[in-house]
Amino acid sequence: MATVVSHHLISSIASPHSPSNSKASLFPKEPFNLPIKFRQNRFKIEATTASQTPVLDPLLSPSKTTPHKKKSNEASLILIRHGESLWNEKNLFTGCVDVPLTEKGVAEAIQAGKRISTIPVDLIFTSSLIRAQMTAMLAMTQHRCKKVPIILHDENEKAQTWSHVFSEETRKQSIPVVAAWQLNERMYGELQGLNKEETAERYGTQQVHEWRRSYHIPPPKGESLEMCAERAVAYFEDNIQPELALGNNVLIAAHGNSLRSIIMYLDKLTSQEVTSLELSTGLPLLYIFKDRKFMRRGSPVGPTEAGVYAYTKRLAQYRQKLDESLN
């Protein structure tokens, strides 16, 4: 397998995975968005008319579940690395420091949204960092479904109660957004805030390269890519893959290293191959989950380019219904 993966010319690759226990989504009745620790629970997406995309309702309690019938035998998984941040622009190690996007990063997020504007999205997962959340929110402003992404809160009972949406119709026009620290960028330890060029001059180019690109070696008091992968992939298996198995379409807006970790899992890359994987800011990568396999379809750069764009029959039908609902 090639060690460098291009976003621009990616053929369809099927990688078999056995999904984590395919749990049924849970259904809510009480005025809470979700119970405490909702990140460990599931969502219920209710079927609507052909011109509408599915609807989320929050949970009543972990003990009261409603069996959910799988909507489809395939689901879309969109991965987007956040747009350029202010510290990307300044060439600083960012890691888990919470900095926003630049004007260029905002434009990249909007352009990413245009590229995925006809791909169905039922759930959004982001990291807890603002640059990833901005990217997801800005991208969805371009989506043709015109639904509003709403960040779910579980800080405490009051946060859940106060952020509850009481209008059924409004909920139908919303998309839940789950922010998870497990999808955060690698923690770069004592390198965070340092200029990358000055750090290379101080410690040596080879040492900094090992900190940045090796799989096992962490920077001083920071995380290695291996450590980042342990938390990011575990979260993906426990919280995101079961949603895909239920036919729910998922968008993940996160970071270079957390997404590299997930792609390593999806494509079964080795620890050597993943170190050569480069992800451009603001450029979507699309997978189709079908028959317990992840099939990479490349970056959506055009509406009908079958070799690059995931132009499946199901997506074509979705776009047709979307066009009919907007006309």
Side-chain angles (χ1 to χ4, degrees), residues 81 93 185-186 188 191 196 205-219 223-226 256-257 260 270-280:
R81 182 188 175 192
F93 285 101
E185 179 58 283
R186 275 175 64 187
Y188 269 100
L191 300 187
K196 294 177 182 177
T205 302
Q206 181 59 35
Q207 177 63 76
V208 173
H209 179 77
E210 287 184 350
W211 285 336
R212 295 186 65 191
R213 292 302 179 211
S214 69
Y215 185 70
H216 302 288
I217 302 174
E223 283 185 309
S224 64
L225 178 56
E226 180 180 27
N257 284 296
R260 286 165 71 204
T270 67
S271 59
Q272 289 183 325
E273 290 169 335
V274 74
T275 59
S276 299
L277 177 63
E278 297 291 343
L279 303 178
S280 301

Side-chain angles (χ1 to χ4, degrees), residues 51-255:
S51 63
Q52 296 175 314
T53 49
V55 183
L56 169 100
D57 267 315
L59 303 170
L60 171 59
S61 70
S63 62
K64 296 183 179 180
T65 64
T66 299
H68 176 64
K69 191 173 183 179
K70 188 181 294 186
K71 297 182 304 174
S72 171
N73 65 350
E74 73 176 56
S76 301
L77 171 64
I78 305 168
L79 308 179
I80 305 178
R81 182 188 175 192
H82 64 80
E84 181 189 66
S85 75
L86 287 168
W87 277 16
N88 290 147
E89 182 183 49
K90 294 178 180 294
N91 200 31
L92 304 180
F93 285 101
T94 309
C96 288
V97 180
D98 207 0
V99 297
L101 301 180
T102 61
E103 289 187 14
K104 178 183 176 182
V106 169
E108 288 175 334
I110 291 173
Q111 183 61 31
K114 292 178 179 178
R115 285 180 166 144
I116 64 169
S117 64
T118 60
I119 301 174
V121 176
D122 299 319
L123 298 170
I124 299 173
F125 290 86
T126 78
S127 76
S128 65
L129 302 175
I130 190 63
R131 57 191 185 272
Q133 295 178 17
M134 288 178 69
T135 298
M137 295 299 197
L138 288 167
M140 290 308 297
T141 65
Q142 305 301 307
H143 203 281
R144 295 183 66 187
C145 74
K146 301 301 181 183
K147 292 194 173 184
V148 178
I150 297 179
I151 296 178
L152 305 177
H153 290 278
D154 75 334
E155 296 89 339
N156 51 54
E157 185 174 305
K158 182 175 289 186
Q160 297 171 43
T161 305
W162 285 16
S163 60
H164 177 70
V165 177
F166 288 88
S167 168
E168 176 68 19
E169 184 59 31
T170 299
R171 285 205 299 268
K172 290 179 179 179
Q173 297 304 318
S174 304
I175 297 177
V177 182
V178 179
W181 70 267
Q182 292 91 335
L183 299 177
N184 282 7
E185 179 58 283
R186 275 175 64 187
M187 204 280 279
Y188 269 100
E190 294 181 348
L191 300 187
Q192 291 184 168
L194 301 184
N195 180 277
K196 294 177 182 177
E197 290 184 5
E198 293 175 359
T199 304
E201 292 174 1
R202 178 179 178 182
Y203 294 101
T205 302
Q206 181 59 35
Q207 177 63 76
V208 173
H209 179 77
E210 287 184 350
W211 285 336
R212 295 186 65 191
R213 292 302 179 211
S214 69
Y215 185 70
H216 302 288
I217 302 174
K221 298 184 180 179
E223 283 185 309
S224 64
L225 178 56
E226 180 180 27
M227 296 162 70
C228 178
E230 286 178 359
R231 58 173 165 84
V233 173
Y235 184 85
F236 182 89
E237 288 183 295
D238 291 343
N239 296 273
I240 301 176
Q241 189 164 323
E243 298 299 340
L244 296 165
L246 290 171
N248 295 330
N249 304 290
V250 174
L251 164 64
I252 304 176
H255 307 265

Side-chain angles (χ1 to χ4, degrees), residues 285-305:
L285 188 61
L286 179 61
Y287 286 80
I288 300 298
F289 183 72
K290 184 176 182 180
D291 300 328
R292 299 187 178 185
K293 298 178 182 179
F294 287 97
M295 297 172 283
R296 185 170 52 206
R297 298 297 189 137
S299 293
V301 297
T304 59
E305 298 176 40

